[in-house]
Amino acid sequence: MKKLFLTGAIAFFGLASAQKNTLLVGGNIAYSSTKNTDALNNSGTTNRFEFSPTVGYQFADHWTAGVNASFGTNKISDAYKVNTDKIGGFVRYAQPFNDTFAIYGDLGIGYQGQKATQTILNQDFVSKANGMYVQFTPALFINFKNSFGLNFNIGGIGYNNLNDKNSDAKTSTFDFSFGKSINIGISKNFGLRK
């Protein structure tokens, strides 16, 4: 399972260092599966999948602007399932150290929605929520050849809020996740004809 997760993490594109008049197409993919067993020997499995496509235009040597989205599912056995979606814009500043290494930071903002379905005695109970997110993610790009390489980040800073559509329930989250996760992606920078 660890090999599948690592393969998925590096199988999809991320965004690379900025070069003027280029188009970046990419995204990330994530999968995890956790099996839990309690003291009474009851077991359950949690499966999580997320796909995040991204498109950006590099309008200056160090600057990129674009749109990104995220579609995810978190399923706990057969009793509880949460679908999430996000769509928004981002701006990126990239600073190369040399032809091989560059650092960059992404600042993104957008809309998010969530649909949770809980099954009790073969009956589904659905709740929906929507809100917004703001996030900042710093990262490192390693160029192997012709703007094709690997992206690495170890978390970021983010704010999320969700408002339940059927009640007055609200959730606000501030997340400082440096060092809590490692994300690896493959990226390619495509030149545009003038």
Side-chain angles (χ1 to χ4, degrees), residues 167-178:
S167 69
D168 291 333
K170 296 180 181 181
T171 303
S172 296
T173 307
F174 175 76
D175 188 26
F176 185 84
S177 61
F178 289 105

Side-chain angles (χ1 to χ4, degrees), residues 74-93:
N74 193 3
K75 185 175 181 182
I76 303 171
S77 295
D78 292 327
Y80 191 69
K81 181 179 179 180
V82 179
N83 292 324
T84 58
D85 56 75
K86 294 182 179 181
I87 187 161
F90 73 93
V91 64
R92 167 181 289 188
Y93 180 79

Side-chain angles (χ1 to χ4, degrees), residues 13 17 23 26 46 53 79 82 98 103 125 137 142 148 157 163-164 166 170 172 175-176:
F13 299 144
S17 60
L23 180 68
T46 301
V82 179
N98 53 39
I103 59 170
F125 297 90
T137 308
I142 301 174
F148 181 82
I157 299 171
N163 302 314
D164 192 293
N166 299 324
K170 296 180 181 181
S172 296
D175 188 26
F176 185 84

